[in-house]
Short mmCIF file of all heavy atoms in Angstrom, two decimals:
data_model
loop_
_atom_site.label_atom_id
_atom_site.label_comp_id
_atom_site.label_asym_id
_atom_site.label_seq_id
_atom_site.Cartn_x
_atom_site.Cartn_y
_atom_site.Cartn_z
N TYR A 1 107.16 -10.90 104.19
CA TYR A 1 108.61 -10.86 104.39
C TYR A 1 108.93 -11.95 105.39
O TYR A 1 108.35 -12.01 106.48
CB TYR A 1 109.01 -9.48 104.94
CG TYR A 1 110.43 -9.39 105.43
CD1 TYR A 1 111.48 -9.23 104.54
CD2 TYR A 1 110.71 -9.45 106.79
CE1 TYR A 1 112.78 -9.13 105.00
CE2 TYR A 1 112.01 -9.36 107.25
CZ TYR A 1 113.04 -9.19 106.35
OH TYR A 1 114.33 -9.09 106.81
N ARG A 2 109.86 -12.84 105.04
CA ARG A 2 110.24 -13.92 105.95
C ARG A 2 111.73 -13.88 106.22
O ARG A 2 112.53 -13.76 105.29
CB ARG A 2 109.88 -15.28 105.34
CG ARG A 2 108.41 -15.56 105.37
CD ARG A 2 108.11 -17.04 105.13
NE ARG A 2 106.70 -17.28 105.28
CZ ARG A 2 105.85 -17.38 104.26
NH1 ARG A 2 106.29 -17.26 103.03
NH2 ARG A 2 104.58 -17.59 104.48
N PHE A 3 112.05 -13.97 107.49
CA PHE A 3 113.44 -14.07 107.92
C PHE A 3 113.49 -15.39 108.68
O PHE A 3 113.03 -15.49 109.80
CB PHE A 3 113.77 -12.88 108.83
CG PHE A 3 115.23 -12.57 108.92
CD1 PHE A 3 115.75 -11.46 108.28
CD2 PHE A 3 116.08 -13.37 109.65
CE1 PHE A 3 117.09 -11.16 108.36
CE2 PHE A 3 117.42 -13.09 109.75
CZ PHE A 3 117.92 -11.97 109.09
N SER A 4 114.01 -16.42 108.04
CA SER A 4 113.85 -17.78 108.56
C SER A 4 114.69 -18.13 109.77
O SER A 4 114.37 -19.07 110.50
CB SER A 4 114.13 -18.80 107.45
OG SER A 4 115.46 -18.67 107.00
N ASN A 5 115.77 -17.38 110.02
CA ASN A 5 116.66 -17.76 111.11
C ASN A 5 117.48 -16.54 111.52
O ASN A 5 118.32 -16.07 110.76
CB ASN A 5 117.57 -18.89 110.63
CG ASN A 5 118.43 -19.47 111.72
OD1 ASN A 5 119.31 -18.79 112.24
ND2 ASN A 5 118.21 -20.72 112.05
N PHE A 6 117.21 -16.00 112.72
CA PHE A 6 118.03 -14.90 113.22
C PHE A 6 118.43 -15.17 114.66
O PHE A 6 117.76 -15.92 115.37
CB PHE A 6 117.33 -13.55 113.08
CG PHE A 6 116.14 -13.34 113.97
CD1 PHE A 6 116.27 -12.81 115.24
CD2 PHE A 6 114.86 -13.65 113.52
CE1 PHE A 6 115.18 -12.62 116.06
CE2 PHE A 6 113.75 -13.46 114.33
CZ PHE A 6 113.91 -12.94 115.61
N LEU A 7 119.54 -14.58 115.06
CA LEU A 7 120.08 -14.75 116.41
C LEU A 7 119.58 -13.63 117.31
O LEU A 7 119.52 -12.48 116.90
CB LEU A 7 121.61 -14.71 116.39
CG LEU A 7 122.32 -15.68 115.45
CD1 LEU A 7 123.82 -15.40 115.47
CD2 LEU A 7 122.04 -17.09 115.85
N LEU A 8 119.26 -13.99 118.55
CA LEU A 8 118.87 -13.01 119.55
C LEU A 8 119.63 -13.32 120.82
O LEU A 8 119.49 -14.42 121.37
CB LEU A 8 117.36 -13.05 119.80
CG LEU A 8 116.81 -12.03 120.79
CD1 LEU A 8 117.05 -10.61 120.29
CD2 LEU A 8 115.33 -12.26 121.02
N ALA A 9 120.45 -12.38 121.27
CA ALA A 9 121.27 -12.58 122.47
C ALA A 9 120.40 -12.99 123.64
O ALA A 9 119.30 -12.45 123.84
CB ALA A 9 122.04 -11.31 122.81
N GLU A 10 120.88 -13.93 124.42
CA GLU A 10 120.14 -14.42 125.57
C GLU A 10 119.93 -13.34 126.62
O GLU A 10 118.94 -13.35 127.34
CB GLU A 10 120.87 -15.63 126.19
CG GLU A 10 119.93 -16.66 126.72
CD GLU A 10 120.63 -17.93 127.15
OE1 GLU A 10 121.23 -17.93 128.25
OE2 GLU A 10 120.57 -18.91 126.40
N LYS A 11 120.84 -12.37 126.69
CA LYS A 11 120.71 -11.31 127.69
C LYS A 11 119.67 -10.24 127.31
O LYS A 11 119.32 -9.41 128.12
CB LYS A 11 122.06 -10.65 127.94
CG LYS A 11 122.67 -9.97 126.72
CD LYS A 11 124.07 -9.48 127.02
CE LYS A 11 124.76 -9.00 125.75
NZ LYS A 11 126.12 -8.60 126.01
N ALA A 12 119.18 -10.29 126.09
CA ALA A 12 118.17 -9.32 125.64
C ALA A 12 116.84 -9.57 126.34
O ALA A 12 116.46 -10.71 126.58
CB ALA A 12 117.99 -9.41 124.14
N THR A 13 116.14 -8.49 126.67
CA THR A 13 114.81 -8.61 127.27
C THR A 13 113.74 -8.01 126.38
O THR A 13 112.56 -8.06 126.72
CB THR A 13 114.76 -7.93 128.66
OG1 THR A 13 115.12 -6.55 128.51
CG2 THR A 13 115.70 -8.62 129.64
N GLU A 14 114.15 -7.41 125.26
CA GLU A 14 113.20 -6.84 124.30
C GLU A 14 113.66 -7.09 122.87
O GLU A 14 114.85 -7.04 122.59
CB GLU A 14 113.07 -5.32 124.47
CG GLU A 14 112.38 -4.88 125.70
CD GLU A 14 112.24 -3.36 125.78
OE1 GLU A 14 112.76 -2.65 124.90
OE2 GLU A 14 111.62 -2.90 126.74
N LEU A 15 112.71 -7.31 122.00
CA LEU A 15 112.95 -7.39 120.57
C LEU A 15 112.01 -6.38 119.91
O LEU A 15 110.79 -6.46 120.10
CB LEU A 15 112.65 -8.79 120.03
CG LEU A 15 112.59 -8.94 118.51
CD1 LEU A 15 113.95 -8.65 117.88
CD2 LEU A 15 112.09 -10.32 118.11
N ASP A 16 112.57 -5.41 119.20
CA ASP A 16 111.77 -4.43 118.48
C ASP A 16 111.83 -4.76 117.00
O ASP A 16 112.91 -4.94 116.43
CB ASP A 16 112.32 -3.01 118.66
CG ASP A 16 112.08 -2.44 120.04
OD1 ASP A 16 111.25 -3.00 120.77
OD2 ASP A 16 112.72 -1.43 120.38
N VAL A 17 110.66 -4.83 116.38
CA VAL A 17 110.56 -4.98 114.93
C VAL A 17 109.98 -3.67 114.43
O VAL A 17 108.85 -3.31 114.77
CB VAL A 17 109.67 -6.17 114.53
CG1 VAL A 17 109.55 -6.26 113.02
CG2 VAL A 17 110.21 -7.47 115.11
N GLU A 18 110.78 -2.94 113.66
CA GLU A 18 110.39 -1.62 113.19
C GLU A 18 110.14 -1.71 111.69
O GLU A 18 110.97 -2.24 110.94
CB GLU A 18 111.52 -0.64 113.49
CG GLU A 18 111.22 0.78 113.09
CD GLU A 18 112.36 1.71 113.46
OE1 GLU A 18 112.41 2.14 114.62
OE2 GLU A 18 113.20 1.97 112.58
N ILE A 19 108.99 -1.22 111.26
CA ILE A 19 108.64 -1.22 109.85
C ILE A 19 108.48 0.23 109.42
O ILE A 19 107.73 1.00 110.04
CB ILE A 19 107.33 -2.00 109.60
CG1 ILE A 19 107.45 -3.41 110.18
CG2 ILE A 19 107.02 -2.05 108.11
CD1 ILE A 19 106.16 -4.16 110.29
N VAL A 20 109.21 0.61 108.37
CA VAL A 20 109.14 1.95 107.81
C VAL A 20 108.64 1.80 106.38
O VAL A 20 109.20 1.02 105.61
CB VAL A 20 110.53 2.65 107.84
CG1 VAL A 20 110.44 4.04 107.24
CG2 VAL A 20 111.07 2.71 109.26
N TRP A 21 107.60 2.55 106.03
CA TRP A 21 107.04 2.40 104.70
C TRP A 21 106.48 3.72 104.19
O TRP A 21 106.32 4.67 104.94
CB TRP A 21 105.95 1.33 104.69
CG TRP A 21 104.63 1.71 105.29
CD1 TRP A 21 103.51 2.11 104.61
CD2 TRP A 21 104.25 1.73 106.67
NE1 TRP A 21 102.48 2.37 105.47
CE2 TRP A 21 102.91 2.15 106.75
CE3 TRP A 21 104.93 1.44 107.86
CZ2 TRP A 21 102.23 2.28 107.96
CZ3 TRP A 21 104.25 1.58 109.05
CH2 TRP A 21 102.93 1.99 109.10
N THR A 22 106.23 3.76 102.88
CA THR A 22 105.53 4.88 102.26
C THR A 22 104.31 4.31 101.55
O THR A 22 104.30 3.14 101.16
CB THR A 22 106.42 5.64 101.26
OG1 THR A 22 106.85 4.73 100.25
CG2 THR A 22 107.60 6.29 101.93
N GLN A 23 103.30 5.14 101.40
CA GLN A 23 102.12 4.72 100.67
C GLN A 23 101.57 5.90 99.89
O GLN A 23 101.95 7.04 100.14
CB GLN A 23 101.06 4.13 101.60
CG GLN A 23 100.50 5.09 102.63
CD GLN A 23 99.60 4.36 103.62
OE1 GLN A 23 99.80 3.20 103.93
NE2 GLN A 23 98.60 5.06 104.11
N LYS A 24 100.70 5.61 98.94
CA LYS A 24 100.09 6.67 98.14
C LYS A 24 99.39 7.65 99.07
O LYS A 24 98.76 7.26 100.04
CB LYS A 24 99.09 6.08 97.15
CG LYS A 24 99.73 5.30 96.04
CD LYS A 24 98.69 4.75 95.10
CE LYS A 24 99.38 3.89 94.06
NZ LYS A 24 98.42 3.21 93.19
N GLY A 25 99.50 8.92 98.73
CA GLY A 25 98.82 9.95 99.52
C GLY A 25 99.61 10.44 100.71
O GLY A 25 99.16 11.34 101.40
N SER A 26 100.79 9.87 100.97
CA SER A 26 101.58 10.34 102.11
C SER A 26 102.67 11.31 101.67
O SER A 26 103.57 11.63 102.43
CB SER A 26 102.19 9.17 102.88
OG SER A 26 103.17 8.53 102.10
N GLU A 27 102.59 11.78 100.40
CA GLU A 27 103.55 12.73 99.83
C GLU A 27 104.99 12.30 100.03
O GLU A 27 105.88 13.11 100.27
CB GLU A 27 103.34 14.14 100.43
CG GLU A 27 102.03 14.77 100.05
CD GLU A 27 101.16 15.04 101.26
OE1 GLU A 27 101.69 15.21 102.36
OE2 GLU A 27 99.94 15.07 101.09
N GLY A 28 105.23 11.00 99.96
CA GLY A 28 106.59 10.49 100.08
C GLY A 28 107.12 10.48 101.51
O GLY A 28 108.26 10.10 101.74
N ARG A 29 106.31 10.92 102.45
CA ARG A 29 106.75 10.93 103.85
C ARG A 29 106.67 9.53 104.41
O ARG A 29 105.65 8.86 104.31
CB ARG A 29 105.88 11.88 104.67
CG ARG A 29 106.10 13.32 104.29
CD ARG A 29 105.14 14.24 104.96
NE ARG A 29 105.29 14.18 106.41
CZ ARG A 29 104.50 14.82 107.24
NH1 ARG A 29 103.52 15.55 106.80
NH2 ARG A 29 104.71 14.73 108.53
N PRO A 30 107.75 9.05 105.02
CA PRO A 30 107.74 7.70 105.59
C PRO A 30 106.81 7.59 106.80
O PRO A 30 106.66 8.53 107.57
CB PRO A 30 109.19 7.48 106.02
CG PRO A 30 109.99 8.56 105.41
CD PRO A 30 109.06 9.68 105.12
N LEU A 31 106.22 6.44 106.93
CA LEU A 31 105.42 6.08 108.09
C LEU A 31 106.18 5.00 108.85
O LEU A 31 106.95 4.26 108.24
CB LEU A 31 104.06 5.55 107.64
CG LEU A 31 103.24 6.49 106.74
CD1 LEU A 31 102.10 5.75 106.09
CD2 LEU A 31 102.74 7.68 107.54
N LYS A 32 105.97 4.90 110.15
CA LYS A 32 106.73 3.93 110.94
C LYS A 32 105.85 3.32 112.02
O LYS A 32 105.06 4.02 112.63
CB LYS A 32 107.93 4.61 111.59
CG LYS A 32 108.77 3.70 112.46
CD LYS A 32 109.91 4.43 113.09
CE LYS A 32 109.60 4.64 114.55
NZ LYS A 32 110.70 5.05 115.37
N GLU A 33 106.03 2.02 112.21
CA GLU A 33 105.38 1.32 113.31
C GLU A 33 106.41 0.42 113.95
O GLU A 33 107.22 -0.19 113.26
CB GLU A 33 104.20 0.48 112.81
CG GLU A 33 102.89 0.93 113.39
CD GLU A 33 101.73 0.08 112.94
OE1 GLU A 33 101.37 0.12 111.77
OE2 GLU A 33 101.19 -0.62 113.83
N THR A 34 106.37 0.32 115.28
CA THR A 34 107.29 -0.55 116.00
C THR A 34 106.49 -1.55 116.83
O THR A 34 105.57 -1.16 117.55
CB THR A 34 108.21 0.27 116.93
OG1 THR A 34 108.92 1.23 116.14
CG2 THR A 34 109.21 -0.62 117.65
N PHE A 35 106.86 -2.81 116.71
CA PHE A 35 106.24 -3.88 117.49
C PHE A 35 107.30 -4.37 118.48
O PHE A 35 108.39 -4.75 118.07
CB PHE A 35 105.81 -5.03 116.57
CG PHE A 35 104.76 -4.60 115.57
CD1 PHE A 35 105.13 -4.01 114.38
CD2 PHE A 35 103.42 -4.77 115.85
CE1 PHE A 35 104.18 -3.58 113.47
CE2 PHE A 35 102.46 -4.38 114.94
CZ PHE A 35 102.83 -3.78 113.74
N THR A 36 106.97 -4.33 119.76
CA THR A 36 107.93 -4.69 120.80
C THR A 36 107.49 -5.99 121.49
O THR A 36 106.39 -6.06 122.02
CB THR A 36 108.07 -3.56 121.83
OG1 THR A 36 108.48 -2.38 121.16
CG2 THR A 36 109.10 -3.91 122.90
N PHE A 37 108.38 -6.96 121.46
CA PHE A 37 108.18 -8.22 122.16
C PHE A 37 109.07 -8.18 123.39
O PHE A 37 110.27 -7.91 123.26
CB PHE A 37 108.54 -9.40 121.25
CG PHE A 37 107.69 -9.50 120.01
CD1 PHE A 37 108.02 -8.81 118.87
CD2 PHE A 37 106.54 -10.27 120.03
CE1 PHE A 37 107.23 -8.89 117.73
CE2 PHE A 37 105.74 -10.37 118.89
CZ PHE A 37 106.08 -9.67 117.74
N THR A 38 108.50 -8.42 124.57
CA THR A 38 109.27 -8.29 125.81
C THR A 38 109.32 -9.60 126.58
O THR A 38 108.53 -10.50 126.33
CB THR A 38 108.66 -7.21 126.73
OG1 THR A 38 107.31 -7.55 127.00
CG2 THR A 38 108.72 -5.85 126.11
N ALA A 39 110.25 -9.65 127.53
CA ALA A 39 110.40 -10.83 128.38
C ALA A 39 109.14 -11.03 129.20
O ALA A 39 108.52 -10.08 129.65
CB ALA A 39 111.61 -10.68 129.29
#
C-alpha cells in the first residue's frame, strides 16, 4: 500500500499508522496493530 504524499501538521509530535485486518482462522474477528512514530 503506497500513499505518495500526505500532510502532517508541524505541531504534531506523533504519527500513528493503524492497520486493521482479518485473516483465515480468525473467525472474521479483526486484528489490529499500531505503529507510532514520535518526535
Side-chain angles (χ1 to χ4, degrees):
Y1 169 80
R2 286 196 175 100
F3 202 106
S4 62
N5 186 293
F6 69 89
L7 305 175
L8 182 62
E10 216 172 77
K11 62 186 171 184
T13 58
E14 289 182 356
L15 168 65
D16 288 345
V17 178
E18 182 179 277
I19 305 166
V20 179
W21 76 99
T22 58
Q23 63 187 32
K24 290 180 184 174
S26 68
E27 293 118 26
R29 292 173 62 185
L31 304 166
K32 178 181 106 166
E33 242 182 292
T34 302
F35 298 85
T36 302
F37 298 87
T38 57

